[in-house]
Amino acid sequence: MKIKFFLLFLISILQLSALASDNDSITFVNAEWTVTTSPEGLTFHTAEMNLFDSNQSVSYVIFPYESFDITLVPHDGLKKVSETATENNALCAINAGYWNMDTDIAATYIRSNGKDLSKTESVEGYRVNGIVIFDSGNFSIEYCDTTQYGDVAARFDNILSCGPLLIDEDFVFDYTGRGGFFSNRHPRSVIGTTPDGEMIFLVVDGRNKGQADGVSIPELTEICQWLGMKDALNLDGGGSSTLWFEGAVVNHPSDNHRYDHEGERKVSSSIIVGKNN
């Protein structure tokens, strides 16, 4: 009898959880999105809403990636995303890989123009399981652990490792139950693609209680699914999360502890979008 009661209780909890997820997806779709399309064809969306019983601020840029030049830019030292974007006449930009705050250098594997610039530090192994390949005509987001870097480097010249990988060819990774970094709510940044050949730069703001609470990795994955991503890789987050579009920072970077556009942190690498040559 006790077992039967427990099973009924478990089923009811799962049903309520599914219902809450459905309600969140409806809220997300029906939010009051502010939409801006650039003359070049990139579209910026931003909205504030209540998701996962918390206040969220979500911003993303979507564009057909074969129509633009997507470039990984490793920084010499640390530099703001906005500075890198401006210097390179970019149309859009987002912060990229993790970096070591003690040494101010990249903490994950980066290969640029055929040269290995950094390696993935052992402390990053628990969350770094994906790469972005930026070679012209070969852009892709893939699963890749540290033992596979050599093979990938033999074939491609421009690579960023990061993680965790959220979605890989429609396979959704489940990080539910993993603590700390995975379960706590933080600002998050994502690069992803859709089946229609579009790329999405996504930032969910955080660390501003009551205005932008941030999301866990499972919550972030749900948002990526709602946006129709078939591939999605989590980038550096926290105070690094920055989205730049058409000349301005358009999310609410948290490094100044205020809910504005001024709290941008210097980072070790950026991903920029430019016009195809």
Side-chain angles (χ1 to χ4, degrees):
M1 190 71 179
K2 289 182 179 179
I3 294 175
K4 182 178 180 181
F5 176 79
F6 175 76
L7 289 174
L8 289 173
F9 175 75
L10 181 61
I11 290 170
S12 66
I13 291 296
L14 292 173
Q15 289 174 334
L16 288 172
S17 176
L19 180 61
S21 179
D22 287 344
N23 288 338
D24 281 330
S25 65
I26 293 170
T27 297
F28 185 84
V29 172
N30 293 331
E32 295 183 8
W33 293 96
T34 298
V35 181
T36 305
T37 300
S38 72
E40 298 82 7
L42 297 88
T43 304
F44 167 63
H45 302 246
T46 187
E48 297 175 349
M49 67 200 78
N50 187 276
L51 292 176
F52 316 116
D53 294 320
S54 59
N55 294 313
Q56 301 295 341
S57 175
V58 181
S59 302
Y60 68 95
V61 176
I62 185 168
F63 55 94
Y65 63 84
E66 289 188 355
S67 301
F68 297 91
D69 183 23
I70 300 99
T71 306
L72 171 66
V73 183
H75 301 164
D76 184 11
L78 301 180
K79 185 178 290 188
K80 292 181 178 180
V81 173
S82 59
E83 294 173 347
T84 299
T86 301
E87 290 172 1
N88 289 276
N89 297 312
L91 304 173
C92 177
I94 193 169
N95 64 291
Y98 296 114
W99 51 281
N100 188 314
M101 298 187 75
D102 293 325
T103 61
D104 292 346
I105 61 174
T108 64
Y109 178 63
I110 291 178
R111 182 173 174 84
S112 180
N113 295 322
K115 295 182 179 180
D116 292 345
L117 302 185
S118 59
K119 63 181 182 179
T120 297
E121 298 179 359
S122 59
V123 294
E124 297 291 355
Y126 74 101
R127 60 182 177 181
V128 176
N129 63 352
I131 57 170
V132 187
I133 296 168
F134 292 91
D135 280 19
S136 177
N138 290 298
F139 177 86
S140 63
I141 298 170
E142 301 178 4
Y143 176 85
C144 183
D145 65 34
T146 56
T147 66
Q148 299 171 304
Y149 292 162
D151 176 64
V152 178
R155 295 180 289 129
F156 302 106
D157 289 335
N158 297 279
I159 304 164
L160 168 73
S161 65
C162 209
L165 187 61
L166 308 177
I167 306 172
D168 183 21
E169 291 293 334
D170 294 321
F171 176 83
V172 178
F173 288 81
D174 185 5
Y175 299 103
T176 304
R178 297 184 64 173
F181 166 83
F182 294 88
S183 61
N184 294 336
R185 285 178 169 159
H186 296 289
R188 307 282 187 177
S189 297
V190 170
I191 182 172
T193 59
T194 74
D196 298 326
E198 293 179 309
M199 181 174 291
I200 296 177
F201 287 177
L202 166 70
V203 168
V204 182
D205 292 322
R207 297 182 181 170
N208 281 287
K209 189 68 176 176
Q211 292 175 297
D213 293 330
V215 291
S216 67
I217 288 295
E219 291 167 346
L220 180 66
T221 302
E222 285 198 68
I223 292 174
C224 292
Q225 289 179 278
W226 298 337
L227 288 173
M229 296 188 200
K230 70 175 183 68
D231 297 292
L233 181 68
N234 181 69
L235 301 170
D236 187 15
S240 298
S241 285
T242 304
L243 183 61
W244 189 94
F245 174 74
E246 292 289 300
V249 173
V250 290
N251 74 306
H252 304 86
S254 64
D255 222 34
N256 63 350
H257 308 292
R258 296 195 300 270
Y259 190 66
D260 59 24
H261 302 294
E262 308 303 321
E264 187 180 1
R265 172 189 288 177
K266 292 182 179 181
V267 294
S268 65
S269 57
S270 299
I271 302 169
I272 65 172
V273 180
K275 297 178 181 178
N276 260 340
N277 295 325

Short mmCIF file of all heavy atoms in Angstrom, two decimals, residues 28 33 58 60 62 194 200 202 222-229:
data_model
loop_
_atom_site.label_atom_id
_atom_site.label_comp_id
_atom_site.label_asym_id
_atom_site.label_seq_id
_atom_site.Cartn_x
_atom_site.Cartn_y
_atom_site.Cartn_z
N PHE A 28 7.00 32.18 -22.22
CA PHE A 28 8.15 32.60 -23.02
C PHE A 28 7.71 33.05 -24.41
O PHE A 28 8.09 34.12 -24.89
CB PHE A 28 9.14 31.44 -23.13
CG PHE A 28 10.43 31.78 -23.83
CD1 PHE A 28 11.46 32.37 -23.13
CD2 PHE A 28 10.61 31.50 -25.18
CE1 PHE A 28 12.66 32.68 -23.77
CE2 PHE A 28 11.79 31.81 -25.82
CZ PHE A 28 12.82 32.41 -25.11
N TRP A 33 7.92 40.77 -26.33
CA TRP A 33 9.25 40.88 -26.91
C TRP A 33 9.40 42.21 -27.66
O TRP A 33 8.55 42.59 -28.46
CB TRP A 33 9.50 39.74 -27.89
CG TRP A 33 9.60 38.40 -27.24
CD1 TRP A 33 8.60 37.48 -27.10
CD2 TRP A 33 10.75 37.83 -26.60
NE1 TRP A 33 9.06 36.37 -26.44
CE2 TRP A 33 10.37 36.55 -26.12
CE3 TRP A 33 12.06 38.27 -26.41
CZ2 TRP A 33 11.26 35.72 -25.46
CZ3 TRP A 33 12.95 37.44 -25.76
CH2 TRP A 33 12.54 36.18 -25.28
N VAL A 58 15.73 38.09 -20.82
CA VAL A 58 16.28 37.25 -21.88
C VAL A 58 16.51 38.10 -23.12
O VAL A 58 15.64 38.86 -23.53
CB VAL A 58 15.32 36.08 -22.22
CG1 VAL A 58 15.92 35.19 -23.31
CG2 VAL A 58 14.99 35.27 -20.97
N TYR A 60 18.35 37.84 -27.20
CA TYR A 60 19.05 37.03 -28.18
C TYR A 60 19.04 37.69 -29.54
O TYR A 60 18.17 38.50 -29.85
CB TYR A 60 18.46 35.61 -28.27
CG TYR A 60 17.07 35.49 -28.83
CD1 TYR A 60 16.85 35.21 -30.18
CD2 TYR A 60 15.94 35.61 -28.00
CE1 TYR A 60 15.57 35.06 -30.70
CE2 TYR A 60 14.66 35.47 -28.51
CZ TYR A 60 14.47 35.19 -29.86
OH TYR A 60 13.21 35.04 -30.37
N ILE A 62 19.34 36.61 -33.68
CA ILE A 62 19.22 35.48 -34.59
C ILE A 62 19.48 35.94 -36.02
O ILE A 62 19.06 37.05 -36.40
CB ILE A 62 17.83 34.81 -34.45
CG1 ILE A 62 17.74 33.55 -35.32
CG2 ILE A 62 16.70 35.78 -34.73
CD1 ILE A 62 16.52 32.70 -35.01
N THR A 194 19.88 26.55 -35.43
CA THR A 194 18.58 25.94 -35.66
C THR A 194 18.62 25.08 -36.91
O THR A 194 19.54 25.21 -37.74
CB THR A 194 17.49 27.02 -35.83
OG1 THR A 194 17.64 27.62 -37.14
CG2 THR A 194 17.60 28.10 -34.76
N ILE A 200 22.02 31.62 -33.23
CA ILE A 200 21.47 32.41 -32.14
C ILE A 200 22.56 32.68 -31.12
O ILE A 200 23.25 31.77 -30.67
CB ILE A 200 20.30 31.67 -31.46
CG1 ILE A 200 19.13 31.48 -32.45
CG2 ILE A 200 19.82 32.44 -30.23
CD1 ILE A 200 17.97 30.70 -31.89
N LEU A 202 22.57 33.98 -27.42
CA LEU A 202 21.59 34.13 -26.34
C LEU A 202 22.27 34.52 -25.04
O LEU A 202 23.30 33.94 -24.69
CB LEU A 202 20.85 32.80 -26.15
CG LEU A 202 20.03 32.62 -24.87
CD1 LEU A 202 18.79 33.52 -24.88
CD2 LEU A 202 19.63 31.15 -24.69
N GLU A 222 16.17 24.41 -21.44
CA GLU A 222 14.76 24.54 -21.85
C GLU A 222 14.56 25.77 -22.73
O GLU A 222 13.86 25.71 -23.75
CB GLU A 222 13.86 24.63 -20.62
CG GLU A 222 13.65 23.31 -19.90
CD GLU A 222 12.43 23.34 -18.99
OE1 GLU A 222 11.30 23.43 -19.51
OE2 GLU A 222 12.63 23.30 -17.76
N ILE A 223 15.17 26.88 -22.38
CA ILE A 223 15.05 28.09 -23.19
C ILE A 223 15.60 27.84 -24.59
O ILE A 223 15.01 28.26 -25.59
CB ILE A 223 15.76 29.27 -22.51
CG1 ILE A 223 15.01 29.65 -21.22
CG2 ILE A 223 15.85 30.48 -23.44
CD1 ILE A 223 15.71 30.72 -20.40
N CYS A 224 16.73 27.15 -24.67
CA CYS A 224 17.31 26.83 -25.98
C CYS A 224 16.36 25.97 -26.80
O CYS A 224 16.23 26.16 -28.03
CB CYS A 224 18.65 26.12 -25.80
SG CYS A 224 19.96 27.16 -25.11
N GLN A 225 15.68 25.05 -26.16
CA GLN A 225 14.70 24.22 -26.86
C GLN A 225 13.53 25.07 -27.37
O GLN A 225 13.05 24.88 -28.49
CB GLN A 225 14.19 23.11 -25.94
CG GLN A 225 15.22 22.02 -25.65
CD GLN A 225 14.67 20.97 -24.72
OE1 GLN A 225 14.65 21.13 -23.49
NE2 GLN A 225 14.19 19.88 -25.29
N TRP A 226 13.04 25.99 -26.54
CA TRP A 226 11.93 26.85 -26.94
C TRP A 226 12.30 27.72 -28.14
O TRP A 226 11.45 28.07 -28.94
CB TRP A 226 11.49 27.74 -25.78
CG TRP A 226 10.98 26.98 -24.60
CD1 TRP A 226 10.47 25.72 -24.58
CD2 TRP A 226 10.96 27.43 -23.24
NE1 TRP A 226 10.12 25.35 -23.30
CE2 TRP A 226 10.41 26.38 -22.45
CE3 TRP A 226 11.36 28.61 -22.60
CZ2 TRP A 226 10.24 26.50 -21.07
CZ3 TRP A 226 11.18 28.73 -21.23
CH2 TRP A 226 10.63 27.68 -20.48
N LEU A 227 13.59 28.05 -28.25
CA LEU A 227 14.05 28.84 -29.40
C LEU A 227 14.32 27.97 -30.62
O LEU A 227 14.72 28.49 -31.67
CB LEU A 227 15.30 29.63 -29.01
CG LEU A 227 15.08 30.81 -28.05
CD1 LEU A 227 16.41 31.40 -27.61
CD2 LEU A 227 14.21 31.87 -28.69
N GLY A 228 14.14 26.68 -30.50
CA GLY A 228 14.28 25.79 -31.65
C GLY A 228 15.69 25.41 -31.99
O GLY A 228 15.98 25.00 -33.13
N MET A 229 16.61 25.49 -31.04
CA MET A 229 18.00 25.15 -31.33
C MET A 229 18.16 23.64 -31.49
O MET A 229 17.62 22.86 -30.72
CB MET A 229 18.92 25.64 -30.22
CG MET A 229 18.97 27.14 -30.05
SD MET A 229 20.26 27.63 -28.87
CE MET A 229 19.72 29.28 -28.42
#
